[in-house]
Amino acid sequence: DVKVTQSSRYLVKRTGEKVFLECVQDMDHENMFWYRQDPGLGLRLIYFSYDVKMKEKGDIPEGYSVSREKKERFSLILESASTNQTSMYLCASSYVGDPNQPQHFGDGTRLSIL
Amino acid sequence: RKEVEQDPGPFNVPEGATVAFNCTYSNSASQSFFWYRQDCRKEPKLLMSVYSSGNEDGRFTAQLNRASQYISLLIRDSKLSDSATYLCAVNKSPGGQGGKLIFGQGTELSVKP
């Protein structure tokens, strides 16, 4: 079974802090993704990466950056947290070789910015 | 028009009922289609992929209609445990780089005793 592990289930931070969300997958997947999910807005793609050190902006990259130094790890960084970044953050991974391969999600991190 | 659209529901059905969800997509070049299930406050989990010829997994049947650009999910003999939100997902870049998926907003299903 694919295992995608996010570092925290719940996180509370303060406005202006730099926040790191970590995601690790154990299936040697090339693709990794960060989403946020908000009521009424569904899943929105923040950033994705299809290889080590490669990254591309998703639909809502503003206020975020990412890091992919190793294949198994994809980090999401909130440079200066703001209250409108309070959300559920989901990491996912998938295999690049077959477009019919689905994405597999981590448990999610519920982030509250006070 | 949204790239992927679903009726948000909620669908309230009695146990044993048959329920069907549709999901429309705008990109006619899309090639990969999926249904995910998401329980409250949990992550989405893959329910099933959707193949061109349609496919079935127990009580669940998925179909693809390319001409009308929609996929469907049929649940027969609904169980209380089927209560969840069902998300459809369509690939954004056919064959492509990154395997990006576009998700619908989800359809909420509530199965009542």
Side-chain angles (χ1 to χ4, degrees):
Chain A
D1 270 0
V2 177
K3 185 67 176 174
V4 181
T5 303
Q6 293 185 228
S7 51
S8 306
R9 291 297 302 275
Y10 301 93
L11 207 53
V12 179
K13 296 291 182 180
R14 295 202 174 276
T15 303
E17 280 193 70
K18 191 168 186 176
V19 181
F20 294 85
L21 302 183
E22 306 286 347
C23 175
V24 176
Q25 48 93 7
D26 66 357
M27 283 301 291
D28 204 33
H29 283 166
E30 293 84 0
N31 298 331
M32 295 189 76
F33 308 84
W34 274 107
Y35 295 89
R36 63 178 283 178
Q37 188 175 31
D38 302 286
L41 297 176
L43 279 164
R44 293 183 290 168
L45 182 64
I46 304 171
Y47 266 97
F48 73 101
S49 168
Y50 52 90
D51 202 351
V52 175
K53 297 193 185 295
M54 305 300 288
K55 59 185 179 184
E56 286 200 18
K57 293 179 180 179
D59 300 316
I60 51 164
E62 296 78 18
Y64 303 94
S65 63
V66 290
S67 172
R68 184 113 181 254
E69 296 297 317
K70 293 185 177 181
K71 190 175 184 179
E72 67 271 18
R73 185 181 297 270
F74 192 35
S75 303
L76 179 70
I77 304 152
L78 285 65
E79 298 290 344
S80 177
S82 63
T83 54
N84 64 11
Q85 291 178 310
T86 291
S87 186
M88 166 78 135
Y89 288 87
L90 289 156
C91 174
S93 72
S94 70
Y95 174 56
V96 76
D98 179 357
N100 291 315
Q101 285 293 313
Q103 292 180 14
H104 299 272
F105 286 85
D107 291 346
T109 296
R110 290 200 170 272
L111 175 64
S112 295
I113 307 295
L114 304 178
Chain B
R1 181 187 173 188
K2 290 182 182 176
E3 290 184 81
V4 177
E5 288 197 77
Q6 293 181 253
D7 181 343
F11 282 54
N12 296 306
V13 303
E15 267 188 294
T18 295
V19 61
F21 308 134
N22 282 343
C23 168
T24 58
Y25 61 94
S26 60
N27 185 351
S28 60
S30 296
Q31 292 179 349
S32 302
F33 309 89
F34 307 95
W35 282 103
Y36 282 80
R37 171 196 168 121
Q38 186 172 24
D39 293 296
C40 188
R41 303 179 74 82
K42 298 286 186 69
E43 78 277 18
K45 292 188 177 177
L46 180 69
L47 181 64
M48 56 199 303
S49 302
V50 185
Y51 302 120
S52 297
S53 55
N55 47 300
E56 190 174 301
D57 182 3
R59 297 182 294 109
F60 298 84
T61 300
Q63 293 198 314
L64 167 63
N65 184 319
R66 284 196 185 274
S68 301
Q69 292 181 214
Y70 73 87
I71 61 173
S72 63
L73 177 68
L74 183 78
I75 306 175
R76 290 182 300 278
D77 189 22
S78 300
K79 311 290 184 193
L80 297 176
S81 58
D82 293 333
S83 297
T85 296
Y86 292 83
L87 303 166
C88 65
V90 176
N91 75 311
K92 189 179 176 94
S93 7
Q97 184 188 76
K100 287 194 288 184
L101 295 178
I102 303 296
F103 287 84
Q105 288 197 23
T107 298
E108 184 183 345
L109 172 66
S110 179
V111 182
K112 307 289 187 186

